[in-house]
């Protein structure tokens, strides 16, 4: 897909995840909206995947360390055909496999995640295994910025640099909000890019809600031989829905009927404009 087509796809995924959260009456809305562009770039353009063969040995691996923002991921996996799109209607319902965090009983999910601070360590192990097995696949790990307060993240960061894992790509969804407020008020992180660089990582700051910028960073990896890459994706929490953007309350707010209607109208207007540009 070209950039314009990917922008259209991202708008469609945002609409799908809002409908899904509204129907389930639960979900993490703000973070899923902020990470949609990142996941769209990865799944529709950057990563080597085969929905018909989700266990393909040479596939790229993706770990959603910020597993609570799974809604965008469920919608993308369904859209790609890893499981029937109709299953999205079962999200967070009794007996479903589509729970509120990644569940490896679902095709396309490598590892159950959600306890923050664990995903990067798992990704280090996968990337090291690829190196030792002589495999060319890459491992992508999406983290939240609030998650950066976890000590296990930095242990994994040290290990990734020590083992020279240039097949490992960490991505921070840097939307600067977490469940209890601003990251800089809860546990100050800045200068976060300098901290990652000091741990031996190649740090690439990008606009995490701009598909073209994301592709420029993600398609270039490994851009420095012998170093893991950290993509600092500066995003807007609630991106795409004007009245949800940068509003902490939308971390896990479920849109009302009226809010859903307004959000879909707004996204549809943007979608029509983008589709016109694609044509």
């Amino acid at each position: 897909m070209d950039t314009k087509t990917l922008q259209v796809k991202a708008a469609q995924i945002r609409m799908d995840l809002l409908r899904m959260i509204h129907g389930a009456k639960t979900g993490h809305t703000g973070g899923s909206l902020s990470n949609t562009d990142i996941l769209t770039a990865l799944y529709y353009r950057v990563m080597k995947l085969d929905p018909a063969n989700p266990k393909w040995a040479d596939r790229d691996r993706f770990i959603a360390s910020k597993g609570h923002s799974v809604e965008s991921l469920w919608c993308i996996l369904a859209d790609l055909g890893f499981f029937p799109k109709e299953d999205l209607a079962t999200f967070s319902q009794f007996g479903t496999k589509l729970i509120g965090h990644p569940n490896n009983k679902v095709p396309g999910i490598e590892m159950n995640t959600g306890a923050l601070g664990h995903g990067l360590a798992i990704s280090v192990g996968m990337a090291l295994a690829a190196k030792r097995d002589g495999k060319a696949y890459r491992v992508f790990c999406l983290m939240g910025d609030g998650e950066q307060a976890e000590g296990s993240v930095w242990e994994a960061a040290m290990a990734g640099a020590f083992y020279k894992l240039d097949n490992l790509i960490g991505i921070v969804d840097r939307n600067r909000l977490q469940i209890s407020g601003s990251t800089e008020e809860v546990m100050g992180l800045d200068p976060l890019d300098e901290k990652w660089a000091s741990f031996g990582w190649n740090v690439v700051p990008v606009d995490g809600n701009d598909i073209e910028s994301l592709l420029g960073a993600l398609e270039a990896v490994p851009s420095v031989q012998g170093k893991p890459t950290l993509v600092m994706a500066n995003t807007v929490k609630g991106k795409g829905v004007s009245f949800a953007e940068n509003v902490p309350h939308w971390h896990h707010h479920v849109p009302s009927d009226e809010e859903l209607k307004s959000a879909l109208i707004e996204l549809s207007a943007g979608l029509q404009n983008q589709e016109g540009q694609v044509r």
Side-chain angles (χ1 to χ4, degrees), residues 258-277:
E258 196 58 41
E259 287 170 333
L260 176 66
K261 180 180 177 181
S262 296
L264 294 179
I265 289 172
E266 184 175 347
L267 286 164
S268 294
L271 180 60
Q272 289 169 7
N273 180 52
Q274 290 165 348
E275 287 178 329
Q277 293 181 48

Side-chain angles (χ1 to χ4, degrees), residues 192-209:
L192 188 55
D193 53 350
E194 293 178 19
K195 290 174 182 175
W196 276 94
S198 74
F199 272 67
W201 286 58
N202 171 46
V203 179
V204 183
V206 299
D207 180 343
N209 292 130

Side-chain angles (χ1 to χ4, degrees), residues 38 171-175 204-208 214 231-235:
I38 299 167
I171 307 167
V172 175
D173 183 5
R174 185 71 168 117
N175 58 41
V204 183
V206 299
D207 180 343
L214 285 164
V231 176
M232 191 68 66
N234 294 291
T235 62

Side-chain angles (χ1 to χ4, degrees), residues 178-244:
Q178 57 191 99
I179 190 169
S180 48
S182 162
T183 57
E184 301 315 294
E185 293 175 347
V186 176
M187 178 65 72
L189 300 173
D190 282 333
L192 188 55
D193 53 350
E194 293 178 19
K195 290 174 182 175
W196 276 94
S198 74
F199 272 67
W201 286 58
N202 171 46
V203 179
V204 183
V206 299
D207 180 343
N209 292 130
D210 182 79
I211 296 286
E212 191 169 356
S213 296
L214 285 164
L215 292 175
L218 294 168
E219 290 188 323
V221 293
S223 51
V224 177
Q225 296 298 316
K227 273 191 173 188
T229 292
L230 190 285
V231 176
M232 191 68 66
N234 294 291
T235 62
V236 174
K237 197 154 190 170
K239 180 67 175 179
V241 179
S242 59
F243 51 88

Side-chain angles (χ1 to χ4, degrees), residues 4-279:
K4 292 296 183 185
T5 306
L6 288 169
Q7 290 170 344
V8 169
K9 181 60 68 176
Q12 292 170 338
I13 295 301
R14 284 187 168 96
M15 295 170 75
D16 286 344
L17 74 86
L18 285 168
R19 292 189 186 101
M20 186 177 71
I21 291 171
H22 176 264
K25 295 181 171 47
T26 187
H28 286 82
T29 311
S32 289
L33 289 169
S34 73
N35 73 29
T36 294
D37 298 302
I38 299 167
L39 296 185
T40 299
L42 284 173
Y43 273 88
Y44 293 95
R45 176 85 168 257
V46 175
M47 292 196 301
K48 297 182 297 180
L49 300 165
D50 183 0
N53 183 16
K55 293 297 185 182
W56 174 40
D58 293 323
R59 71 191 181 280
D60 286 330
R61 274 68 167 169
F62 174 76
I63 299 294
S65 190
K66 54 170 295 183
H68 57 283
S69 295
V70 73
E71 291 82 359
S72 45
L73 180 58
W74 286 146
C75 291
I76 286 172
L77 291 178
D79 186 63
L80 288 171
F82 281 91
F83 58 83
K85 200 164 184 178
E86 295 74 27
D87 290 359
L88 294 177
T90 72
F91 172 63
S92 284
Q93 305 304 302
F94 180 74
T96 186
K97 292 180 180 178
L98 302 185
I99 57 178
H101 291 82
N103 168 21
N104 65 3
K105 296 190 186 324
V106 179
I109 299 296
E110 302 288 346
M111 180 68 65
N112 297 352
T113 55
L116 295 178
H118 293 181
L120 188 63
I122 294 167
S123 301
V124 166
M126 288 180 168
L128 183 58
K131 289 286 189 183
R132 293 189 172 178
D133 289 343
K135 295 287 188 178
Y137 66 78
R138 298 164 299 172
V139 182
F140 296 84
C141 178
L142 178 64
M143 297 173 280
D145 50 4
E147 180 177 0
Q148 304 302 293
E150 300 282 354
S152 51
V153 169
W154 299 101
E155 294 177 63
M158 283 191 289
F162 178 78
Y163 288 109
K164 304 183 188 306
L165 299 178
D166 51 16
N167 58 341
L168 173 63
I169 303 92
I171 307 167
V172 175
D173 183 5
R174 185 71 168 117
N175 58 41
R176 296 182 173 270
L177 288 175
Q178 57 191 99
I179 190 169
S180 48
S182 162
T183 57
E184 301 315 294
E185 293 175 347
V186 176
M187 178 65 72
L189 300 173
D190 282 333
L192 188 55
D193 53 350
E194 293 178 19
K195 290 174 182 175
W196 276 94
S198 74
F199 272 67
W201 286 58
N202 171 46
V203 179
V204 183
V206 299
D207 180 343
N209 292 130
D210 182 79
I211 296 286
E212 191 169 356
S213 296
L214 285 164
L215 292 175
L218 294 168
E219 290 188 323
V221 293
S223 51
V224 177
Q225 296 298 316
K227 273 191 173 188
T229 292
L230 190 285
V231 176
M232 191 68 66
N234 294 291
T235 62
V236 174
K237 197 154 190 170
K239 180 67 175 179
V241 179
S242 59
F243 51 88
E245 291 184 354
N246 288 320
V247 179
H249 172 64
W250 276 80
H251 179 86
H252 51 38
H253 175 68
V254 175
S256 66
D257 293 350
E258 196 58 41
E259 287 170 333
L260 176 66
K261 180 180 177 181
S262 296
L264 294 179
I265 289 172
E266 184 175 347
L267 286 164
S268 294
L271 180 60
Q272 289 169 7
N273 180 52
Q274 290 165 348
E275 287 178 329
Q277 293 181 48
V278 170
R279 294 193 191 97

